[in-house]
Amino acid sequence: MTGNASTTVAQLLPAARAGDTDAMERLLALARPDIRRYALRHCAATTATDDVVQEALIIVYRRVGALREVAAFGGWVVRIVQRLCMQPALAWLRGEPLAQVEDALAWSHRPDHELRHDLALAIDSLPPLYREALLMRDFEELTIEEMAQRLSTTREAAKSRLHRARSLVREYLAPSQPG
């Protein structure tokens, strides 16, 4: 969303955030090609692209009022698409069978399929206390305060759990050093 399109987004976004339905429709129509392009880049199989585009448009429609900066619109939309593309891996982490995730991971674009799989295994190997903290922060994007509240603990304890979870994932993913 660059060049002339960003000027249009800059003009439409404040009105859409204020509830102007015409501006919202025009904003969604303007964003649709970019969302589709992002989905094609982040989700490998084109069969899921239309679903991701539709879901992303719904999220933009529902949450555009929470967007603080007009300039952040493009990056915000990219993050929405990226999260939608990662949902199959998250579903597996929540307990769905691996075979379903392997099929779904085919459309979750990352430079190295094995790394994604290893990352999912690393997160799954975490003790539940740490896995929950990691998922809350890195996938649900909760603040430390929100995590602490949901975990019924202090802010410091939530930060500690998150740090330990990330350390354990790094250890899991680190290549074995020759002895």
Side-chain angles (χ1 to χ4, degrees), residues 55-123:
E55 188 65 26
L57 288 169
I58 291 169
I59 291 170
V60 169
Y61 176 81
R62 289 182 180 161
R63 297 186 185 164
V64 74
L67 187 63
R68 294 182 190 140
E69 297 286 331
V70 172
F73 184 77
W76 178 62
V77 170
V78 170
R79 287 289 295 145
I80 290 169
V81 172
Q82 288 172 334
R83 271 188 243 122
L84 290 170
C85 291
M86 284 302 296
Q87 282 184 342
L90 295 176
W92 176 70
L93 291 174
R94 293 182 190 118
E96 292 182 14
L98 182 58
Q100 290 178 4
V101 171
E102 286 175 344
D103 290 343
L105 281 177
W107 61 273
S108 179
H109 175 62
R110 291 290 182 254
D112 184 355
H113 174 76
E114 291 177 15
L115 179 60
R116 284 192 319 273
H117 185 255
D118 288 345
L119 179 60
L121 291 175
I123 294 171

